[in-house]
Amino acid sequence: MAGKTYDVIIIGAGAAGLTAAIYTMRKQLRTVVVSPETGGATALSNWVENYPGAKAMPGLELMEQFKAQVTALGTPLVATKVKGITPGVTFRVALENGETISGRALIITAGKVPRRLNVPGEDKFFGRGVSTCATCDGPLFKGKPIAIVGGGNAAVEAALELAEIAKPVYLIHRRDTFRADEITVAKLKTSAVQLVLGSEVTAVHGDRFLNGLTVRDQAGTIRELSVNGLFLEIGSDTDPVLVAPFAKNDANEILVDARQRTNIPGAFAAGDVTDVAYKQTVISAGDGAQAALEAHRFLTVPGYHWPKQ
Amino acid sequence: MALREIGDQNFETEVLKAPGVVLVDFWAPWCAPCRVQHPILEELAGEMKNVTFASINVDEHPTVGGRYQIMSIPTLIAFKGGAPVAQFIGLQSKEALRAKLGGL
């Protein structure tokens, strides 16, 4: 089915995508933003204190201001997921709502999603004890046994926070040392958190709801932990469907040059989906603007040269 | 119609004994994705006339949350004739919800 054709299709509606839309709309480019939700990772942040020019506020509130600016420009927002991207002279983007749209340029700003363990039972008990949002679901486990998986700041901070609510709290980590800041790790020693180090979760089980985990240590010893909650704090990944056509680094992030160009002419990327060193709202916004301005040059400057990567 | 905030005290009349499909959003103030879900439901409530939209704060109203064993929020449960007919866990997009609710 032949769908609508745009100058620019922006996939993702966090800080990078919404900023890109402001810039492409102001350049009079026919723009569409495709994203199942708006606000990206910033919207899920409880408190943002480092976005210059704005007072400290909940991430969602900041992103609502971004969105208001985008909608005031008349930008169409399509609330659906992308099923596939086919590069060509024009990019064809298949949407989950059944439509296929075309764009002369593409800006990928779809960020990342929380990483999963990929062990048996995880999908079955997701939302029935297994969670990727400790701040959301932790308080629902008052006085109950739970486990957190991970070794970074997010995991250790979640364990410390949940130790005030749930009991007992296990922190399961593949290695024997933590990547988290020393000051945070030091707090673990005086907390009620029980450390399960050098160990991996190999299966999760229950009946209607989660009631246990199988954990294997480096020596191969298997043990069972009785828990009602399992919180995954093991990082995040890009969406494989969206990054598939592009050159990527080892972390599956899209490689971009200093002007947000990918290896495919006409396709740009910005924000957490790229190999940018720092995943920050202000950087995503800046890179989104840069992607939009460069997309405008790509579409309007005769003989625009796409550098080989 | 708008998204209505309900509680333990009126869950029976507003949801279980209400006509048609009622979508209930189980949320809590500390949950960031719940706050992203909220405006999506408000928009849908304005557009889908044949579904009633309600939200319940599980922190202030633990009885209903406990009855339906809510262990992850946001959780959305669609009720019809007093019984749950569909359950959606985690943040749901507007288009996905519209499609799922349309089939009930």
Side-chain angles (χ1 to χ4, degrees), chain A residues 5-295:
Chain A
T5 300
Y6 298 90
D7 293 325
V8 183
I9 298 173
I10 298 170
I11 300 174
L18 294 174
T19 307
I22 293 168
Y23 275 76
T24 58
M25 287 300 284
R26 285 170 57 87
K27 289 286 188 189
Q28 312 274 314
L29 298 174
R30 281 168 303 155
T31 303
V32 65
V33 178
V34 180
S35 178
E37 72 274 329
T38 53
T42 309
L44 302 181
S45 166
N46 275 322
W47 205 245
V48 179
E49 298 183 323
N50 57 5
Y51 197 81
K55 65 175 170 54
M57 67 177 97
L60 180 63
E61 208 174 294
L62 180 63
M63 294 319 291
E64 274 172 353
Q65 293 178 16
F66 275 57
K67 188 186 176 187
Q69 205 169 337
V70 168
T71 47
L73 290 163
T75 322
L77 292 166
V78 181
T80 193
K81 280 179 83 172
V82 168
K83 269 198 321 196
I85 298 169
T86 313
V89 180
T90 61
F91 293 87
R92 290 169 61 78
V93 176
L95 307 180
E96 241 170 37
N97 68 6
E99 277 182 72
T100 298
I101 56 174
S102 304
R104 296 164 62 210
L106 192 65
I107 304 178
I108 313 275
T109 60
K112 291 186 163 185
V113 291
R115 190 173 294 158
R116 304 276 287 267
L117 289 170
N118 293 318
V119 298
E122 183 184 12
D123 285 344
K124 186 180 172 199
F125 295 107
F126 198 83
R128 292 177 169 80
V130 182
S131 169
T132 52
C133 185
T135 52
C136 306
D137 300 337
L140 305 175
F141 291 83
K142 216 168 275 176
K144 293 192 172 148
I146 60 147
I148 295 112
V149 183
N153 276 320
V156 176
E157 281 166 15
L160 290 169
E161 204 175 298
L162 295 183
E164 307 286 324
I165 300 166
K167 196 181 170 186
V169 173
Y170 301 99
L171 178 57
I172 304 168
H173 183 36
R174 273 185 303 170
R175 303 181 207 290
D176 292 318
T177 54
F178 290 99
R179 288 189 316 281
D181 300 335
E182 279 172 35
I183 187 161
T184 314
V185 175
K187 285 183 196 158
L188 273 180
K189 298 208 174 85
T190 53
S191 75
V193 176
Q194 299 186 34
L195 302 182
V196 183
L197 299 179
S199 299
E200 282 183 300
V201 176
T202 56
V204 306
H205 28 88
D207 39 71
R208 278 190 65 214
F209 296 95
L210 177 77
N211 61 24
L213 312 174
T214 306
V215 177
R216 186 180 59 207
D217 71 13
Q218 281 154 348
T221 312
I222 308 269
R223 65 188 273 209
E224 297 286 323
L225 288 180
S226 281
V227 296
N228 295 124
L230 175 65
F231 296 90
L232 309 181
E233 295 289 351
I234 49 177
S236 52
D237 283 318
T238 54
D239 180 339
V241 169
L242 298 180
V243 302
F246 305 104
K248 298 171 281 287
N249 65 8
D250 290 341
N252 278 322
E253 297 165 333
I254 299 176
L255 294 170
V256 290
D257 70 8
R259 295 190 186 185
Q260 311 303 134
R261 289 174 289 215
T262 70
N263 63 319
I264 298 177
F268 303 80
D272 292 0
V273 77
T274 71
D275 62 331
V276 64
Y278 302 107
K279 314 300 194 208
Q280 294 289 315
T281 305
V282 65
I283 292 173
S284 293
D287 285 352
Q290 181 155 256
L293 292 171
E294 198 61 23

Side-chain angles (χ1 to χ4, degrees), chain B residues 19-96:
Chain B
V21 174
V22 185
L23 185 77
V24 182
D25 164 36
F26 294 83
W27 70 284
W30 62 72
C31 156
C34 298
R35 294 198 296 269
V36 176
Q37 187 74 76
H38 223 79
I40 293 174
L41 295 175
E42 269 169 359
E43 281 179 30
L44 266 182
E47 294 167 22
M48 295 187 78
K49 301 297 172 201
N50 50 342
V51 177
T52 307
F53 290 80
S55 61
I56 183 162
N57 179 334
V58 294
D59 194 32
E60 289 175 5
H61 301 281
T63 310
V64 172
R67 187 189 308 165
Y68 295 99
Q69 296 186 280
I70 303 301
M71 301 178 88
S72 185
I73 47 177
T75 285
L76 307 175
I77 302 181
F79 291 85
K80 199 175 177 181
V85 288
Q87 180 166 342
F88 315 112
I89 291 165
L91 184 57
Q92 302 291 316
S93 79
K94 193 171 152 188
E95 289 296 325

